[in-house]
Amino acid sequence: MLIIGIAGGTGSGKTTVVNQIINQLQHDEVDVISQDSYYQDTSHLTLEERVKINFDHPKSIDFDLLVEHLQILKTGKSIEQPEYSFTEHNRTKETITTKPRKVMIVEGILIFTHPEIRKMFDIKIFVHADSDERLMRRLKRDIAERGRDLHEVVDRYKTTLKPMHQQFIEPTKEYADIIIPNNRYNTVAIDIVQTIIKEKLV
Ligand SMILES: Nc1ncnc2c1ncn2[C@@H]1O[C@H](COP(=O)(O)OP(=O)(O)O)[C@@H](O)[C@H]1O
Ligand SMILES: Nc1ccn([C@@H]2O[C@H](COP(=O)(O)O)[C@@H](O)[C@H]2O)c(=O)n1
């Protein structure tokens, strides 16, 4: 199993890059694990308490469960990937059955901050976009898809997104094998990554 880690700041385009990469692969050859599925289970908290969580700090992620799930997949067994609700700020009661595949892609803002998970990646990719571009994309996406309003996104950007990005996410760029500049759609970089994956699959 080839495990590919794709990190980068929020709004850098990780999910979009993942979708472009897997487009060219056979459906049964590849699957995706999102770090967002591994936000800590906070069912014991009220919604008001959950809203206040710093979702950009490594402590917000259940990395132990992610490590365990990657190890299970490596042994050839399926896992039940948690499903996350951005409106509830919590895991749902549903899970996504995820089978081991020739290529497993793990994507998320903080995945390169964890040394054990970092070691499990065969290829580490960091998607870069400038902070103003990321903020604009995040605003549009969170309002359209994640039930947020302008005030909420801007407030979170100032209090947690920006400082956490500088402290935890940007420094992990140094671990990347490949950095994809993604201020614009970068089809050349996607072609290169697809070629590398196809070569490794032979
Ligand atoms: N290169 C790009 N140029 C313009 N918009 C983009 C680009 N990549 C992604 N987007 C858009 O920006 C938003 C955030 O992208 P997404 O892939 O969800 O980022 P991430 O997973 O890193 O948070 C989405 O609405 C997506 O359509
Ligand atoms: N309940 C939550 C949980 C996370 N976030 C934000 O999601 C971002 C990570 O996801 P990307 O797809 O953008 O990489 C992260 O910056 C968290 O602030 C949230 O808004 N609500």
Side-chain angles (χ1 to χ4, degrees), residues 33-178:
I33 292 184
S34 171
Q35 174 211 278
D36 296 338
S37 304
Y38 291 82
Y39 274 115
Q40 304 278 3
D41 183 0
T42 52
S43 308
H44 56 291
L45 302 177
T46 63
L47 183 60
E48 289 70 35
E49 288 169 326
R50 294 202 295 269
V51 172
K52 293 187 194 133
I53 295 172
N54 177 352
F55 292 108
D56 294 74
H57 192 286
K59 275 201 291 195
S60 64
I61 309 294
D62 188 349
F63 279 122
D64 289 343
L65 184 63
L66 180 53
V67 170
E68 190 188 320
H69 278 182
L70 288 175
Q71 281 165 346
I72 292 172
L73 287 167
K74 279 175 82 133
T75 66
K77 296 191 195 114
S78 299
I79 54 146
E80 292 301 319
Q81 185 179 164
E83 186 187 70
Y84 192 73
S85 161
F86 285 95
T87 43
E88 291 301 316
H89 300 282
N90 201 8
R91 291 181 196 170
T92 69
K93 290 192 170 57
E94 306 300 318
T95 56
I96 306 153
T97 303
T98 308
K99 293 183 183 160
R101 300 289 188 198
K102 280 189 189 165
V103 182
M104 290 301 309
I105 300 181
V106 185
E107 68 86 16
I109 54 174
L110 293 160
I111 53 171
F112 292 170
T113 63
H114 195 277
E116 201 177 343
I117 294 185
R118 230 169 33 227
K119 270 193 237 145
M120 297 177 92
F121 295 136
D122 299 291
I123 305 173
K124 293 187 280 298
I125 298 173
F126 192 99
V127 181
H128 167 88
D130 295 340
S131 52
D132 52 352
E133 183 68 34
R134 291 191 294 102
L135 174 58
M136 284 189 288
R137 292 180 193 171
R138 167 96 181 222
L139 271 168
K140 281 199 238 166
R141 184 199 61 193
D142 279 14
I143 292 168
E145 296 170 22
R146 293 188 180 175
R148 308 285 188 259
D149 62 29
L150 180 76
H151 171 77
E152 214 176 340
V153 181
V154 171
D155 190 47
R156 208 177 266 281
Y157 182 79
K158 282 196 287 193
T159 54
T160 54
L161 289 186
K162 190 176 176 198
M164 296 300 106
H165 182 86
Q166 285 165 344
Q167 186 176 351
F168 295 110
I169 301 162
E170 188 66 24
T172 64
K173 198 182 253 180
E174 70 159 302
Y175 300 117
D177 304 304
I178 300 165

